[in-house]
Amino acid sequence: MPASRPLGLILEDVIAADPERAALIIDGTVTTYAELAAAVRHCAAGLRAAGAVPGWRLPLVDDTSVLSAAVLIGATHAGAAATLMNPRLTTGELGVLVEAAEAAPIGVAGSRSADALRGVDGMSVLGAEELLGHDGAEEAPGHDGAEEPPAWVPAPSDEAVVLFTSGTTGTPKAVALTHGLLGPKVAAFAPAVEPVPSVSLMCVPFVHIGGMLGLLVQLAKGNTTVVQTRFDAGEWLALVAQHGVHTSFLVPTMLHRILDHPDFDSTNLGSLTSLTYGAAPASPELIRRAMASLPGVELTNTFGQTETMGSITALGPGDHAAERLASVGRPLPGVEVRVVDPTTGDAVPSGTVGELWVKSEGSVVPGAQAEGTGALAGWFRTGDMISADDEGYLYPAGRLTDTINRGGEKFAPSEVEAVVRTHPAIRDVAVVGVPDPEMGNRVGCAIVGREPVTGEELRDFCRGRIANFKMPERFLVLDEIPYNDFGKVDRNVLRARFAAVDR
């Protein structure tokens, strides 16, 4: 395992090697590693001057920016942990997160989010003007020219960053990543500064574990990150061509829109060498299409959660060639998994769907593991339903909380989605259990069509492909499936859409 640096010193090796490398490219503006390091110093001094102390959970509400990157790193100089909150939330929603995290009374926000955070009771807000200054002067605002105090030296158990779960099934939960976990995780992916920097394109939210961790890994490697703060397929294609992007992380809905975009065939994507996808299920049909359309690009599927600090499994390029496209791969080194009956905790046979339990000293965050001495002790219950084959490859089957119970028959929405999606008239689909007083759930199917198609035609198509009790019963035709910022189907919104039709 390569030696890890505390988060506050993550730029040091790159600064020593090549400080004028491009660290970030945002809206065409290049920020070098030297400039980013200066921004970190400014933010650290400004936060100290504002009263930041060790143990603070500091609300940070912004897209990926020089400010957010500098605060993420610089907050640790004062012993604080940046607590990342979605910049598209309202004041009320931010207030819920502030309370859930027991966050500090001072936060940082980008210009678009400052008013929303300022509306939270008792919250004072700092922005780029206060922390980065007007003229790029070497001394940060609030710094009187005295010798800067030494950076806080964190203990492994000290919090480095606080994230929130996606909240699609309830109120988001604060998840603290400690220095003892985050430092080694970054070091495992970035053992040394790259002699020649590569270029990545970051288009997933900064508040997502994949976005935040991916940015830190690229910075630790000394690579250049092109930032797209709000995903648009056409702009993504243009950015790849303009900046010679080598790699990017995508959720499947993004990949789908890129392949469907009218500029796809005419855009020069010759710089791309690899794409990683994850955060939501990807159909084998989509991945086969990507492999055919991008023959020189290696594809990797990753699977994990905020509580597992991102990836716990991976399906690499070789497994894509072997047509294991329905799988999310096998556990990464140091990760143990069990597939169990969620009620009894007993292991289920190979090929049978059960709940995924995970154990890993280097990945699962403190507090997520079950305590005690029983069969669950030390394991994290992911809430993901999954099956494993005899070779250890895992196959996702949806979330435990999304399970449809129709008259006592239980199944995952993904089983129905996988079949409906193969109909040539369907562009996208999402399935939920619609509450029903007689059956418990009815099967609700929301579709986005390439061309008109009726519910009865879809039912006829499904016959013989899935069991009768899984057949779609309720249909909604939508312009777009509701996805959250993490690329997952927002099933709460979808259930509300079905309920609105019944009123």
Side-chain angles (χ1 to χ4, degrees):
M1 175 71 71
S4 64
R5 280 189 179 275
L7 176 55
L9 302 178
I10 197 170
L11 304 178
E12 297 300 306
D13 287 346
V14 191
I15 295 298
D18 186 1
E20 297 308 313
R21 281 189 187 186
L24 301 172
I25 302 177
I26 305 175
D27 294 331
T29 299
V30 177
T31 300
T32 67
Y33 275 88
E35 291 168 335
L36 181 58
V40 169
R41 292 194 299 272
H42 280 233
C43 286
L47 291 173
R48 284 198 191 95
V53 294
W56 259 19
R57 289 181 169 182
L58 181 83
L60 173 56
V61 191
D62 198 10
D63 289 308
T64 311
S65 66
V66 174
L67 175 67
S68 60
V71 171
L72 176 68
I73 299 169
T76 66
H77 288 211
T83 302
L84 309 191
M85 301 179 182
N86 193 322
R88 278 163 278 287
L89 297 182
T90 65
T91 291
E93 291 168 323
L94 290 172
V96 169
L97 298 189
V98 166
E99 182 177 356
E102 299 181 343
I106 295 175
V108 177
S111 58
R112 295 178 183 175
S113 307
D115 287 344
L117 184 59
R118 198 172 286 117
V120 176
D121 287 345
M123 183 65 63
S124 297
V125 179
L126 303 173
E129 183 173 330
E130 293 86 1
L131 294 177
L132 300 181
H134 297 282
D135 56 6
E138 281 303 314
E139 289 185 354
H143 193 323
D144 60 8
E147 184 177 349
E148 185 175 333
W152 174 263
V153 180
S157 59
D158 288 338
E159 295 178 355
V161 182
V162 179
L163 302 176
F164 290 89
T165 56
S166 57
T168 56
T169 57
T171 302
K173 177 177 62 177
V175 178
L177 311 184
T178 64
H179 285 276
L181 284 176
L182 185 59
K185 186 81 168 183
V186 172
F189 288 108
V193 175
E194 297 286 350
V196 178
S198 66
V199 181
S200 67
L201 175 47
M202 178 179 172
C203 54
V204 294
F206 176 67
V207 298
H208 186 283
I209 180 66
M212 185 278 299
L213 185 60
L215 176 62
L216 291 180
V217 168
Q218 295 303 326
L219 291 176
K221 287 183 173 182
N223 289 335
T224 299
T225 300
V226 179
V227 175
Q228 185 185 35
T229 53
R230 189 72 69 92
F231 176 77
D232 174 83
E235 183 187 40
W236 188 94
L237 290 165
L239 289 172
V240 170
Q242 178 184 354
H243 296 289
V245 170
H246 301 108
T247 186
S248 187
F249 177 86
L250 302 167
V251 298
T253 52
M254 294 174 176
L255 180 58
H256 196 288
R257 291 172 186 178
I258 289 166
L259 296 176
D260 274 351
H261 197 275
D263 292 343
F264 178 80
D265 289 333
S266 61
T267 302
N268 181 0
L269 302 178
S271 62
L272 278 177
T273 58
S274 65
L275 290 175
T276 301
Y277 62 97
S283 69
E285 292 75 20
L286 172 64
I287 303 308
R288 287 191 189 98
R289 184 181 172 199
M291 293 169 67
S293 301
L294 298 164
V297 178
E298 293 188 335
L299 298 179
T300 299
N301 187 4
T302 62
F303 177 80
Q305 295 183 347
T306 304
E307 294 92 337
T308 63
M309 296 188 61
S311 306
I312 52 174
T313 74
L315 187 81
D319 287 320
H320 280 72
E323 278 288 308
R324 292 191 175 96
L325 303 185
S327 173
V328 292
R330 292 189 284 196
L332 295 172
V335 176
E336 296 179 66
V337 301
R338 296 175 64 192
V339 183
V340 306
D341 183 304
T343 302
T344 66
D346 295 333
V348 300
S350 175
T352 302
V353 173
E355 184 185 8
L356 178 67
W357 290 5
V358 177
K359 181 184 285 188
S360 172
E361 292 185 4
S363 292
V364 180
V365 302
Q369 306 99 321
E371 298 179 354
T373 58
L376 185 55
W379 291 86
F380 168 55
R381 296 188 63 166
T382 67
D384 284 311
M385 300 301 286
I386 210 157
S387 64
D389 65 19
D390 292 335
E391 296 180 83
Y393 287 89
L394 303 180
Y395 297 81
R399 295 285 293 167
L400 179 60
T401 51
D402 292 334
T403 297
I404 297 172
N405 187 341
R406 186 188 182 282
E409 298 283 3
K410 299 179 182 180
F411 54 96
S414 59
E415 297 179 59
V416 184
E417 291 166 350
V419 172
V420 174
R421 188 173 280 112
T422 61
H423 190 288
I426 298 302
R427 182 166 66 86
D428 204 359
V429 58
V431 171
V432 294
V434 179
D436 180 79
E438 178 187 2
M439 300 301 293
N441 284 152
R442 296 285 183 178
V443 183
C445 182
I447 58 172
V448 178
R450 300 181 189 277
E451 56 189 65
V453 61
T454 67
E456 194 53 42
E457 288 172 335
L458 287 176
R459 284 175 59 82
D460 287 342
F461 180 79
C462 290
R463 286 190 178 92
R465 290 180 167 90
I466 51 175
N468 285 339
F469 63 83
K470 300 178 185 178
M471 294 282 284
E473 299 167 279
R474 302 278 307 283
F475 291 91
L476 276 180
V477 179
L478 303 176
D479 293 329
E480 294 288 342
I481 297 298
Y483 289 97
N484 63 19
D485 284 343
F486 304 96
K488 299 176 182 179
V489 175
D490 195 327
R491 299 190 195 274
N492 285 338
V493 169
L494 207 53
R495 291 186 191 97
R497 297 271 184 95
F498 277 101
V501 173
D502 290 337
R503 294 194 187 109

mmCIF file of all heavy atoms in Angstrom, residues 433-470:
data_model
loop_
_atom_site.group_PDB
_atom_site.id
_atom_site.type_symbol
_atom_site.label_atom_id
_atom_site.label_comp_id
_atom_site.label_asym_id
_atom_site.label_seq_id
_atom_site.Cartn_x
_atom_site.Cartn_y
_atom_site.Cartn_z
ATOM 1 N N GLY A 433 -43.483 -0.153 -7.363
ATOM 2 C CA GLY A 433 -44.669 -0.740 -6.770
ATOM 3 C C GLY A 433 -45.649 0.360 -6.406
ATOM 4 O O GLY A 433 -45.323 1.257 -5.629
ATOM 5 N N VAL A 434 -46.846 0.305 -6.983
ATOM 6 C CA VAL A 434 -47.882 1.296 -6.689
ATOM 7 C C VAL A 434 -48.784 0.721 -5.600
ATOM 8 O O VAL A 434 -49.335 -0.377 -5.761
ATOM 9 C CB VAL A 434 -48.706 1.613 -7.952
ATOM 10 C CG1 VAL A 434 -49.807 2.621 -7.646
ATOM 11 C CG2 VAL A 434 -47.795 2.127 -9.064
ATOM 12 N N PRO A 435 -48.938 1.421 -4.454
ATOM 13 C CA PRO A 435 -49.754 0.884 -3.357
ATOM 14 C C PRO A 435 -51.160 0.495 -3.812
ATOM 15 O O PRO A 435 -51.801 1.221 -4.585
ATOM 16 C CB PRO A 435 -49.794 2.046 -2.355
ATOM 17 C CG PRO A 435 -48.539 2.819 -2.626
ATOM 18 C CD PRO A 435 -48.335 2.718 -4.113
ATOM 19 N N ASP A 436 -51.621 -0.661 -3.325
ATOM 20 C CA ASP A 436 -52.915 -1.184 -3.730
ATOM 21 C C ASP A 436 -53.535 -1.907 -2.530
ATOM 22 O O ASP A 436 -52.884 -2.753 -1.915
ATOM 23 C CB ASP A 436 -52.756 -2.156 -4.899
ATOM 24 C CG ASP A 436 -54.079 -2.732 -5.368
ATOM 25 O OD1 ASP A 436 -54.804 -2.024 -6.092
ATOM 26 O OD2 ASP A 436 -54.385 -3.874 -4.995
ATOM 27 N N PRO A 437 -54.787 -1.583 -2.168
ATOM 28 C CA PRO A 437 -55.383 -2.186 -0.968
ATOM 29 C C PRO A 437 -55.614 -3.689 -1.076
ATOM 30 O O PRO A 437 -55.663 -4.388 -0.065
ATOM 31 C CB PRO A 437 -56.709 -1.429 -0.827
ATOM 32 C CG PRO A 437 -57.004 -0.883 -2.194
ATOM 33 C CD PRO A 437 -55.677 -0.607 -2.806
ATOM 34 N N GLU A 438 -55.754 -4.193 -2.291
ATOM 35 C CA GLU A 438 -56.020 -5.621 -2.473
ATOM 36 C C GLU A 438 -54.730 -6.434 -2.553
ATOM 37 O O GLU A 438 -54.560 -7.439 -1.843
ATOM 38 C CB GLU A 438 -56.838 -5.838 -3.746
ATOM 39 C CG GLU A 438 -57.111 -7.320 -4.043
ATOM 40 C CD GLU A 438 -57.769 -7.526 -5.400
ATOM 41 O OE1 GLU A 438 -57.980 -6.546 -6.131
ATOM 42 O OE2 GLU A 438 -58.051 -8.690 -5.719
ATOM 43 N N MET A 439 -53.779 -5.998 -3.389
ATOM 44 C CA MET A 439 -52.583 -6.788 -3.667
ATOM 45 C C MET A 439 -51.341 -6.308 -2.914
ATOM 46 O O MET A 439 -50.299 -6.949 -2.980
ATOM 47 C CB MET A 439 -52.281 -6.764 -5.166
ATOM 48 C CG MET A 439 -53.384 -7.321 -6.041
ATOM 49 S SD MET A 439 -53.786 -9.041 -5.668
ATOM 50 C CE MET A 439 -52.270 -9.842 -6.176
ATOM 51 N N GLY A 440 -51.442 -5.199 -2.220
ATOM 52 C CA GLY A 440 -50.258 -4.638 -1.579
ATOM 53 C C GLY A 440 -49.551 -3.685 -2.526
ATOM 54 O O GLY A 440 -49.389 -2.508 -2.242
ATOM 55 N N ASN A 441 -49.128 -4.212 -3.666
ATOM 56 C CA ASN A 441 -48.544 -3.411 -4.741
ATOM 57 C C ASN A 441 -49.121 -3.854 -6.073
ATOM 58 O O ASN A 441 -49.412 -5.042 -6.277
ATOM 59 C CB ASN A 441 -47.021 -3.584 -4.822
ATOM 60 C CG ASN A 441 -46.249 -2.845 -3.751
ATOM 61 O OD1 ASN A 441 -45.173 -3.264 -3.378
ATOM 62 N ND2 ASN A 441 -46.765 -1.734 -3.250
ATOM 63 N N ARG A 442 -49.293 -2.905 -6.957
ATOM 64 C CA ARG A 442 -49.467 -3.179 -8.376
ATOM 65 C C ARG A 442 -48.184 -2.740 -9.076
ATOM 66 O O ARG A 442 -47.446 -1.897 -8.581
ATOM 67 C CB ARG A 442 -50.654 -2.406 -8.951
ATOM 68 C CG ARG A 442 -52.006 -2.796 -8.360
ATOM 69 C CD ARG A 442 -52.495 -4.122 -8.871
ATOM 70 N NE ARG A 442 -53.829 -4.428 -8.344
ATOM 71 C CZ ARG A 442 -54.521 -5.519 -8.653
ATOM 72 N NH1 ARG A 442 -53.995 -6.412 -9.500
ATOM 73 N NH2 ARG A 442 -55.717 -5.744 -8.144
ATOM 74 N N VAL A 443 -47.929 -3.310 -10.244
ATOM 75 C CA VAL A 443 -46.701 -3.009 -10.972
ATOM 76 C C VAL A 443 -46.922 -1.785 -11.847
ATOM 77 O O VAL A 443 -47.650 -1.844 -12.847
ATOM 78 C CB VAL A 443 -46.249 -4.210 -11.827
ATOM 79 C CG1 VAL A 443 -44.926 -3.888 -12.526
ATOM 80 C CG2 VAL A 443 -46.095 -5.448 -10.954
ATOM 81 N N GLY A 444 -46.301 -0.672 -11.442
ATOM 82 C CA GLY A 444 -46.401 0.567 -12.200
ATOM 83 C C GLY A 444 -45.216 0.726 -13.129
ATOM 84 O O GLY A 444 -44.067 0.602 -12.704
ATOM 85 N N CYS A 445 -45.474 1.004 -14.389
ATOM 86 C CA CYS A 445 -44.417 1.073 -15.406
ATOM 87 C C CYS A 445 -44.477 2.428 -16.105
ATOM 88 O O CYS A 445 -45.461 2.744 -16.786
ATOM 89 C CB CYS A 445 -44.621 -0.058 -16.415
ATOM 90 S SG CYS A 445 -43.366 -0.154 -17.703
ATOM 91 N N ALA A 446 -43.443 3.242 -15.910
ATOM 92 C CA ALA A 446 -43.338 4.531 -16.588
ATOM 93 C C ALA A 446 -42.417 4.374 -17.784
ATOM 94 O O ALA A 446 -41.315 3.820 -17.664
ATOM 95 C CB ALA A 446 -42.799 5.593 -15.635
ATOM 96 N N ILE A 447 -42.853 4.874 -18.936
ATOM 97 C CA ILE A 447 -42.086 4.669 -20.161
ATOM 98 C C ILE A 447 -41.838 5.991 -20.879
ATOM 99 O O ILE A 447 -42.636 6.920 -20.811
ATOM 100 C CB ILE A 447 -42.791 3.687 -21.124
ATOM 101 C CG1 ILE A 447 -44.195 4.203 -21.484
ATOM 102 C CG2 ILE A 447 -42.854 2.288 -20.523
ATOM 103 C CD1 ILE A 447 -44.883 3.398 -22.569
ATOM 104 N N VAL A 448 -40.702 6.042 -21.547
ATOM 105 C CA VAL A 448 -40.389 7.107 -22.495
ATOM 106 C C VAL A 448 -40.219 6.422 -23.839
ATOM 107 O O VAL A 448 -39.355 5.541 -23.992
ATOM 108 C CB VAL A 448 -39.102 7.856 -22.107
ATOM 109 C CG1 VAL A 448 -38.774 8.927 -23.137
ATOM 110 C CG2 VAL A 448 -39.233 8.470 -20.719
ATOM 111 N N GLY A 449 -41.060 6.783 -24.809
ATOM 112 C CA GLY A 449 -41.079 6.048 -26.070
ATOM 113 C C GLY A 449 -40.241 6.673 -27.165
ATOM 114 O O GLY A 449 -40.054 7.887 -27.222
ATOM 115 N N ARG A 450 -39.715 5.808 -28.014
ATOM 116 C CA ARG A 450 -39.129 6.273 -29.269
ATOM 117 C C ARG A 450 -40.243 6.539 -30.285
ATOM 118 O O ARG A 450 -40.105 7.351 -31.199
ATOM 119 C CB ARG A 450 -38.168 5.226 -29.837
ATOM 120 C CG ARG A 450 -37.001 4.873 -28.926
ATOM 121 C CD ARG A 450 -36.103 3.856 -29.602
ATOM 122 N NE ARG A 450 -35.098 3.344 -28.693
ATOM 123 C CZ ARG A 450 -33.942 3.961 -28.424
ATOM 124 N NH1 ARG A 450 -33.662 5.093 -29.022
ATOM 125 N NH2 ARG A 450 -33.084 3.430 -27.584
ATOM 126 N N GLU A 451 -41.329 5.771 -30.111
ATOM 127 C CA GLU A 451 -42.512 5.898 -30.962
ATOM 128 C C GLU A 451 -43.700 5.464 -30.124
ATOM 129 O O GLU A 451 -43.531 4.830 -29.069
ATOM 130 C CB GLU A 451 -42.378 5.034 -32.213
ATOM 131 C CG GLU A 451 -42.123 3.574 -31.914
ATOM 132 C CD GLU A 451 -41.789 2.768 -33.160
ATOM 133 O OE1 GLU A 451 -40.729 3.057 -33.761
ATOM 134 O OE2 GLU A 451 -42.588 1.884 -33.505
ATOM 135 N N PRO A 452 -44.929 5.795 -30.525
ATOM 136 C CA PRO A 452 -46.091 5.448 -29.708
ATOM 137 C C PRO A 452 -46.219 3.935 -29.491
ATOM 138 O O PRO A 452 -45.980 3.138 -30.401
ATOM 139 C CB PRO A 452 -47.271 5.990 -30.526
ATOM 140 C CG PRO A 452 -46.686 7.080 -31.368
ATOM 141 C CD PRO A 452 -45.287 6.617 -31.696
ATOM 142 N N VAL A 453 -46.597 3.565 -28.263
ATOM 143 C CA VAL A 453 -46.821 2.160 -27.925
ATOM 144 C C VAL A 453 -47.843 2.128 -26.802
ATOM 145 O O VAL A 453 -47.847 2.977 -25.915
ATOM 146 C CB VAL A 453 -45.501 1.468 -27.502
ATOM 147 C CG1 VAL A 453 -44.901 2.138 -26.278
ATOM 148 C CG2 VAL A 453 -45.707 -0.021 -27.254
ATOM 149 N N THR A 454 -48.755 1.164 -26.840
ATOM 150 C CA THR A 454 -49.800 1.078 -25.824
ATOM 151 C C THR A 454 -49.383 0.128 -24.702
ATOM 152 O O THR A 454 -48.499 -0.723 -24.868
ATOM 153 C CB THR A 454 -51.115 0.568 -26.429
ATOM 154 O OG1 THR A 454 -50.941 -0.803 -26.834
ATOM 155 C CG2 THR A 454 -51.530 1.417 -27.624
ATOM 156 N N GLY A 455 -50.059 0.275 -23.560
ATOM 157 C CA GLY A 455 -49.806 -0.616 -22.442
ATOM 158 C C GLY A 455 -50.095 -2.062 -22.790
ATOM 159 O O GLY A 455 -49.355 -2.975 -22.390
ATOM 160 N N GLU A 456 -51.159 -2.289 -23.533
ATOM 161 C CA GLU A 456 -51.504 -3.662 -23.890
ATOM 162 C C GLU A 456 -50.441 -4.272 -24.804
ATOM 163 O O GLU A 456 -50.125 -5.468 -24.701
ATOM 164 C CB GLU A 456 -52.875 -3.708 -24.570
ATOM 165 C CG GLU A 456 -53.456 -5.114 -24.672
ATOM 166 C CD GLU A 456 -53.502 -5.833 -23.331
ATOM 167 O OE1 GLU A 456 -53.853 -5.204 -22.316
ATOM 168 O OE2 GLU A 456 -53.152 -7.038 -23.298
ATOM 169 N N GLU A 457 -49.872 -3.464 -25.710
ATOM 170 C CA GLU A 457 -48.789 -3.963 -26.567
ATOM 171 C C GLU A 457 -47.572 -4.358 -25.725
ATOM 172 O O GLU A 457 -46.926 -5.376 -25.997
ATOM 173 C CB GLU A 457 -48.396 -2.894 -27.592
ATOM 174 C CG GLU A 457 -49.429 -2.691 -28.701
ATOM 175 C CD GLU A 457 -49.118 -1.498 -29.581
ATOM 176 O OE1 GLU A 457 -48.426 -0.556 -29.120
ATOM 177 O OE2 GLU A 457 -49.574 -1.490 -30.733
ATOM 178 N N LEU A 458 -47.282 -3.562 -24.706
ATOM 179 C CA LEU A 458 -46.151 -3.895 -23.837
ATOM 180 C C LEU A 458 -46.438 -5.139 -23.015
ATOM 181 O O LEU A 458 -45.544 -5.969 -22.790
ATOM 182 C CB LEU A 458 -45.823 -2.709 -22.923
ATOM 183 C CG LEU A 458 -45.148 -1.515 -23.598
ATOM 184 C CD1 LEU A 458 -44.975 -0.378 -22.611
ATOM 185 C CD2 LEU A 458 -43.787 -1.916 -24.174
ATOM 186 N N ARG A 459 -47.658 -5.292 -22.556
ATOM 187 C CA ARG A 459 -48.011 -6.506 -21.806
ATOM 188 C C ARG A 459 -47.878 -7.742 -22.703
ATOM 189 O O ARG A 459 -47.354 -8.778 -22.273
ATOM 190 C CB ARG A 459 -49.433 -6.393 -21.248
ATOM 191 C CG ARG A 459 -49.537 -5.472 -20.028
ATOM 192 C CD ARG A 459 -50.986 -5.300 -19.575
ATOM 193 N NE ARG A 459 -51.596 -6.573 -19.220
ATOM 194 C CZ ARG A 459 -51.456 -7.178 -18.049
ATOM 195 N NH1 ARG A 459 -50.705 -6.623 -17.112
ATOM 196 N NH2 ARG A 459 -52.055 -8.325 -17.802
ATOM 197 N N ASP A 460 -48.339 -7.628 -23.939
ATOM 198 C CA ASP A 460 -48.191 -8.749 -24.870
ATOM 199 C C ASP A 460 -46.711 -9.081 -25.086
ATOM 200 O O ASP A 460 -46.327 -10.258 -25.167
ATOM 201 C CB ASP A 460 -48.832 -8.411 -26.219
ATOM 202 C CG ASP A 460 -50.359 -8.411 -26.162
ATOM 203 O OD1 ASP A 460 -50.903 -9.002 -25.199
ATOM 204 O OD2 ASP A 460 -50.981 -7.806 -27.053
ATOM 205 N N PHE A 461 -45.883 -8.036 -25.178
ATOM 206 C CA PHE A 461 -44.446 -8.238 -25.374
ATOM 207 C C PHE A 461 -43.822 -8.947 -24.180
ATOM 208 O O PHE A 461 -42.915 -9.779 -24.332
ATOM 209 C CB PHE A 461 -43.779 -6.874 -25.582
ATOM 210 C CG PHE A 461 -42.297 -6.938 -25.792
ATOM 211 C CD1 PHE A 461 -41.759 -7.294 -27.026
ATOM 212 C CD2 PHE A 461 -41.422 -6.655 -24.750
ATOM 213 C CE1 PHE A 461 -40.390 -7.351 -27.219
ATOM 214 C CE2 PHE A 461 -40.046 -6.710 -24.936
ATOM 215 C CZ PHE A 461 -39.529 -7.055 -26.176
ATOM 216 N N CYS A 462 -44.313 -8.644 -22.970
ATOM 217 C CA CYS A 462 -43.729 -9.220 -21.747
ATOM 218 C C CYS A 462 -44.158 -10.665 -21.513
ATOM 219 O O CYS A 462 -43.470 -11.409 -20.783
ATOM 220 C CB CYS A 462 -44.116 -8.376 -20.535
ATOM 221 S SG CYS A 462 -43.321 -6.750 -20.471
ATOM 222 N N ARG A 463 -45.286 -11.080 -22.086
ATOM 223 C CA ARG A 463 -45.761 -12.442 -21.846
ATOM 224 C C ARG A 463 -44.742 -13.459 -22.345
ATOM 225 O O ARG A 463 -44.247 -13.386 -23.459
ATOM 226 C CB ARG A 463 -47.098 -12.664 -22.558
ATOM 227 C CG ARG A 463 -48.256 -11.976 -21.870
ATOM 228 C CD ARG A 463 -49.615 -12.397 -22.447
ATOM 229 N NE ARG A 463 -50.690 -11.737 -21.716
ATOM 230 C CZ ARG A 463 -51.245 -10.575 -22.062
ATOM 231 N NH1 ARG A 463 -50.825 -9.975 -23.171
ATOM 232 N NH2 ARG A 463 -52.191 -10.050 -21.334
ATOM 233 N N GLY A 464 -44.424 -14.391 -21.486
ATOM 234 C CA GLY A 464 -43.428 -15.407 -21.821
ATOM 235 C C GLY A 464 -42.011 -14.972 -21.516
ATOM 236 O O GLY A 464 -41.090 -15.800 -21.538
ATOM 237 N N ARG A 465 -41.821 -13.697 -21.229
ATOM 238 C CA ARG A 465 -40.490 -13.194 -20.902
ATOM 239 C C ARG A 465 -40.304 -12.997 -19.391
ATOM 240 O O ARG A 465 -39.187 -13.041 -18.892
ATOM 241 C CB ARG A 465 -40.226 -11.873 -21.633
ATOM 242 C CG ARG A 465 -40.049 -12.021 -23.149
ATOM 243 C CD ARG A 465 -39.801 -10.651 -23.795
ATOM 244 N NE ARG A 465 -39.328 -10.780 -25.182
ATOM 245 C CZ ARG A 465 -40.124 -10.817 -26.225
ATOM 246 N NH1 ARG A 465 -41.451 -10.742 -26.059
ATOM 247 N NH2 ARG A 465 -39.627 -10.931 -27.446
ATOM 248 N N ILE A 466 -41.392 -12.713 -18.694
ATOM 249 C CA ILE A 466 -41.376 -12.637 -17.230
ATOM 250 C C ILE A 466 -42.621 -13.331 -16.698
ATOM 251 O O ILE A 466 -43.594 -13.536 -17.433
ATOM 252 C CB ILE A 466 -41.344 -11.174 -16.716
ATOM 253 C CG1 ILE A 466 -42.449 -10.336 -17.360
ATOM 254 C CG2 ILE A 466 -39.989 -10.538 -16.917
ATOM 255 C CD1 ILE A 466 -42.545 -8.909 -16.803
ATOM 256 N N ALA A 467 -42.594 -13.686 -15.421
ATOM 257 C CA ALA A 467 -43.736 -14.361 -14.801
ATOM 258 C C ALA A 467 -44.956 -13.446 -14.811
ATOM 259 O O ALA A 467 -44.839 -12.207 -14.798
ATOM 260 C CB ALA A 467 -43.394 -14.734 -13.361
ATOM 261 N N ASN A 468 -46.145 -14.057 -14.792
ATOM 262 C CA ASN A 468 -47.379 -13.292 -14.882
ATOM 263 C C ASN A 468 -47.519 -12.285 -13.742
ATOM 264 O O ASN A 468 -48.035 -11.179 -13.940
ATOM 265 C CB ASN A 468 -48.595 -14.228 -14.896
ATOM 266 C CG ASN A 468 -48.764 -14.916 -16.241
ATOM 267 O OD1 ASN A 468 -48.252 -14.441 -17.252
ATOM 268 N ND2 ASN A 468 -49.469 -16.043 -16.245
ATOM 269 N N PHE A 469 -47.052 -12.649 -12.534
ATOM 270 C CA PHE A 469 -47.233 -11.729 -11.406
ATOM 271 C C PHE A 469 -46.318 -10.503 -11.511
ATOM 272 O O PHE A 469 -46.517 -9.523 -10.788
ATOM 273 C CB PHE A 469 -47.024 -12.445 -10.066
ATOM 274 C CG PHE A 469 -45.635 -12.998 -9.839
ATOM 275 C CD1 PHE A 469 -44.611 -12.176 -9.366
ATOM 276 C CD2 PHE A 469 -45.367 -14.336 -10.065
ATOM 277 C CE1 PHE A 469 -43.341 -12.688 -9.146
ATOM 278 C CE2 PHE A 469 -44.102 -14.844 -9.849
ATOM 279 C CZ PHE A 469 -43.079 -14.022 -9.381
ATOM 280 N N LYS A 470 -45.338 -10.527 -12.416
ATOM 281 C CA LYS A 470 -44.457 -9.370 -12.636
ATOM 282 C C LYS A 470 -44.929 -8.475 -13.789
ATOM 283 O O LYS A 470 -44.308 -7.445 -14.056
ATOM 284 C CB LYS A 470 -43.030 -9.843 -12.946
ATOM 285 C CG LYS A 470 -42.397 -10.675 -11.846
ATOM 286 C CD LYS A 470 -41.003 -11.154 -12.255
ATOM 287 C CE LYS A 470 -40.415 -12.087 -11.216
ATOM 288 N NZ LYS A 470 -39.089 -12.609 -11.617
#
